[in-house]
């Protein structure tokens, strides 16, 4: 329905805004994990950080995005 499409578009816009508010490294980590579908060990190697640091960063990014969007569906 038109109202569902509007709601979906609004959520997508909010997500884009929330991602734009991340710093460059956070956006790159998010991109490598969810767009490139790389494992955290490979991301860590590319970024120059430990696997644990990447895992913690991803957890914080996703939690922040969920908080901003008010959803558990990310």
């Amino acid at each position: 329905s038109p109202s569902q499409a509007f709601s979906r578009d609004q959520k997508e816009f909010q997500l884009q805004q929330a991602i734009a508010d991340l710093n460059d490294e956070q956006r790159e980590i998010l991109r490598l994990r969810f767009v490139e579908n790389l494992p955290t060990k490979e991301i860590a190697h590319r970024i120059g950080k430990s696997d644990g640091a990447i895992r913690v960063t991803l957890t914080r990014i996703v939690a922040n995005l969920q908080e901003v969007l008010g959803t558990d569906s990310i």
Side-chain angles (χ1 to χ4, degrees):
S1 74
S3 63
Q4 288 174 328
F6 177 76
S7 179
R8 185 186 66 241
D9 290 346
Q10 283 295 104
K11 285 212 180 266
E12 186 175 318
F13 177 75
Q14 289 174 330
L15 178 59
Q16 289 173 354
Q17 287 297 110
I19 290 171
D21 289 342
L22 298 173
N23 67 42
D24 291 340
E25 184 175 88
Q26 290 171 324
R27 277 194 303 275
E28 179 67 2
I29 291 169
L30 200 63
R31 184 188 71 77
L32 291 171
R33 181 67 186 111
F34 295 107
V35 176
E36 300 292 328
N37 202 29
L38 294 178
T40 55
K41 287 183 180 183
E42 177 63 23
I43 296 168
H45 177 72
R46 289 186 184 196
I47 299 291
K49 293 191 171 188
S50 71
D51 182 47
I54 296 300
R55 288 174 185 263
V56 168
T57 300
L58 278 168
T59 300
R60 288 179 180 163
I61 292 169
V62 171
N64 181 45
L65 292 175
Q66 286 175 331
E67 183 178 316
V68 166
L69 298 176
T71 180
D72 294 327
S73 63
I74 297 178

